[in-house]
Amino acid sequence: MSDISIRPAVSGDASVLNRALSQLSADMGDEHRAGDADIARACFGPAPVLHAVIAETADGSIVGVAAYSPFFSTVYGSVGIYVSDLWVDQEVRGQRLGERLLAGVHRAGVDAWDASFIRLGVYHDNPRARAFYERIGFVAAEDTQFMSLAGNALQSLGENA
């Protein structure tokens, strides 16, 4: 494990970052719609909205990725970090690499935004992931539920207001 380093993603990483995120989508049974250009624009364009840390072996293989974004919480009165994606290659799972990636996200968030907490979502049908997060101290928010607005509903937002 000592031959794996955690580093911030840089603009030249867009395609390897997207490959890792695509593998996460495949592992989760999700459709992966992002292309390399989408990742490059979101992470390294003029107004970045996505950030990432990468776990890399000494030979340059990418074995883990955490993608995240800042947000402000009036409840906490501070900036939080939303981890949208966390992927660890099956070959290195069980070696605390996920925890190291999250620690890298935390350090980056503190340095950039003075972030004081991390939030993420876990699929209901993924008890192994939930157990991992709980083991390192995440607490499920029983009083809230994430909701999404997209597609036609988003496009028609406000039309009848």
Side-chain angles (χ1 to χ4, degrees):
M1 192 64 150
S2 62
D3 67 331
I4 298 175
S5 61
I6 308 295
R7 64 170 179 81
V10 296
S11 61
D13 290 325
S15 64
V16 296
L17 183 56
N18 192 38
R19 263 196 309 277
L21 295 172
S22 176
Q23 184 59 55
L24 173 62
S25 295
D27 291 349
M28 299 305 298
D30 292 338
E31 185 175 350
H32 187 82
R33 294 184 182 110
D36 292 356
D38 299 316
I39 297 298
R41 184 176 52 258
C43 288
F44 313 110
V49 295
L50 184 66
H51 305 271
V53 291
I54 293 177
E56 184 175 39
T57 63
D59 69 1
S61 298
I62 304 303
V63 294
V65 165
Y68 61 95
S69 302
F71 71 99
F72 186 81
S73 168
T74 57
V75 172
Y76 285 92
S78 64
V79 174
I81 307 163
Y82 178 71
V83 175
S84 57
D85 299 287
L86 178 65
W87 172 78
V88 173
D89 188 284
Q90 285 189 330
E91 298 298 317
V92 295
R93 287 184 188 164
Q95 299 179 38
R96 302 184 67 122
L97 186 54
E99 188 172 347
R100 288 182 58 203
L101 283 161
L102 290 169
V105 166
H106 175 242
R107 281 189 301 278
V110 167
D111 290 348
W113 311 294
D114 198 26
S116 68
F117 65 100
I118 296 174
R119 179 175 288 159
L120 49 75
V122 182
Y123 288 169
H124 294 291
D125 64 352
N126 193 347
R128 188 170 169 210
R130 185 172 176 145
F132 161 73
Y133 293 122
E134 288 173 346
R135 188 170 50 253
I136 60 176
F138 279 84
V139 177
E142 300 298 333
D143 57 339
T144 61
Q145 178 175 334
F146 287 105
M147 299 178 75
S148 298
L149 182 65
N152 290 338
L154 178 61
Q155 297 307 313
S156 63
L157 181 63
E159 287 179 0
N160 297 318

